[in-house]
């Protein structure tokens, strides 16, 4: 049996998404920038998808800029504002590297977080002044699942750096939270299709009216000159269908997944001595089960889990395999030795009770095996 517990890395495509994409991988191959019938049909599909994405994200159609994924949307937000307006970029210490590395490359400022992963508003306050042009705070974290106090942060920015633009990376939020409402305080909102049942390699940045971003990609002037390049028509159509499906059944999925996540987390915490949860469950998205297991290395654990058909990662899929433990856990004050034993299980719309049962059976046994191995004398 294979149990996919890695929805924060990527999600299986929704059937509505596959269905929406197929025509554009077949007979409807037109380039939406052209003028003939085939091109116009593609253009119509992009326009319709834009309307759907805008409605689901609480934006106007003209505010949606299609991108090649979440990383590009985050880069366009942070780098695009500073390139247009100058000034200083600020973000929290637990941002995805798409934001963090962009802010670092611009010699920006990074505000620390509390032990639960939520941004320290006093540290954010200290990072803000009249020189700041963009502040980036994610809606939900990809490693621990922490939901950030975006509205409070945005109010602080409005007071301390009134000219600054607020960006939120909502990539991990869409499946769990009403982004149309919760991201409303932000001027810029990044999403990525493959995190909510859409295809990989397509995303969007909402750029609210009146906010200027310098394009990262120059060329044919698509997306009102904010993102040049021929549209990924199939991807865009698929993203819109996946987003509509996600929004339509989000409440039911959240309820179902939260119950399974709680059963999984409580079961593992009870079965594995020296196991704690990172973050605070009450302020995490419903699909996130992020653990710290003493006395093991997550890379060794992941090998055993993979052998038993459990798909999981260490703190994040990007950090997985890297020698350095997660910057998110470090920012939360998790000791380095413990951070090496992190395990991220992320549930999603396809997760079943049988997958949870499988994980509850396999993971404690795998931890026992690793602990026994490291306690065993080395035979020469
Ligand atoms: N932001 C967050 C919070 C993410 O989790 C990810 C992907 O892991 C990204 C941005 C990057 O998105 P993409 O994979 O579409 O480039």
């Amino acid at each position: 049996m294979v149990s996919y517990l890695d929805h924060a890395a990527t999600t299986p495509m929704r059937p509505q998404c596959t269905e929406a994409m197929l025509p554009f991988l077949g007979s409807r191959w037109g380039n939406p920038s052209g003028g003939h019938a085939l091109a116009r049909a593609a253009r119509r599909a992009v326009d319709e998808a834009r309307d759907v994405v805008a409605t689901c994200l609480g934006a106007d159609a003209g505010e949606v800029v299609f991108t090649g994924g979440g990383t590009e949307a985050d880069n366009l937000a942070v780098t695009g504002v500073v390139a247009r307006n100058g000034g200083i970029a600020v973000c929290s210490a637990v941002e995805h590297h798409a934001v963090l590395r962009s802010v670092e490359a611009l010699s920006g400022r990074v505000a620390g977080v509390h032990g639960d992963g939520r941004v320290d508003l006093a540290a954010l306050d200290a990072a803000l002044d009249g020189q700041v042009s963009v502040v980036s705070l994610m809606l939900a974290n990809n490693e621990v699942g922490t939901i950030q106090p975006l509205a409070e942060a945005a109010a602080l920015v409005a007071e301390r750096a009134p000219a600054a633009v607020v960006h939120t990376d909502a990539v991990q939020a869409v499946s769990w939270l009403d982004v149309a409402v919760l991201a409303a305080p932000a001027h810029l909102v990044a999403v990525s299709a493959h995190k909510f049942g859409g295809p990989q390699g397509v995303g969007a940045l909402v750029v609210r009216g009146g906010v200027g971003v310098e394009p990262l990609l120059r060329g044919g002037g698509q997306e009102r000159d904010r993102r040049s390049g021929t549209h990924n028509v199939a991807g865009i159509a698929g993203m819109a269908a996946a987003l509509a499906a996600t929004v339509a059944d989000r409440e039911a999925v959240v309820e179902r997944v939260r119950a399974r996540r709680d059963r999984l987390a409580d079961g593992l915490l009870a079965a594995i001595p020296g196991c704690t949860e990172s973050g605070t469950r009450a302020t995490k998205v419903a699909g996130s089960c992020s653990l710290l297991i003493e006395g093991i290395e997550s890379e060794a654990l992941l090998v055993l889990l993979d052998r038993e058909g459990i798909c999981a990662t260490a703190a994040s899929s990007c950090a997985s395999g890297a020698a350095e433990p997660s910057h998110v856990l470090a920012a939360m004050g998790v000791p380095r030795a413990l951070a090496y034993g992190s395990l991220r299980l992320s549930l999603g719309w396809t997760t079943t009770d049988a997958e949870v049962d499988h994980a509850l059976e396999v993971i404690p046994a795998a931890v026992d095996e690793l602990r026994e191995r490291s306690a065993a004398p080395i035979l020469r």
Side-chain angles (χ1 to χ4, degrees), residues 8 69-71 74 96 98 138 140 142 169 171-172 192 194-195 318:
T71 299
D74 282 335
H96 187 274
M138 69 205 316
N142 46 307
D169 173 341
V171 167
Q172 292 287 345
S192 171
H194 74 109
K195 307 291 186 176
C318 308

Side-chain angles (χ1 to χ4, degrees), residues 88-95 99 103 108-114 118-130 132-138 148-161 164-167:
I88 290 173
V90 173
C91 71
S92 85
V94 295
E95 298 299 308
V99 167
V103 169
R109 300 173 187 161
V110 177
V113 299
H114 295 294
R118 280 156 66 91
V119 69
D120 178 347
L121 291 170
L124 181 62
D125 186 294
L128 297 174
D129 60 30
V132 172
S133 57
V134 60
V135 178
S136 187
L137 181 64
M138 69 205 316
Q148 293 290 348
L150 182 66
E152 282 114 299
L156 190 61
V157 173
E159 187 191 316
R160 299 272 290 113
V165 161
V166 174
H167 165 56

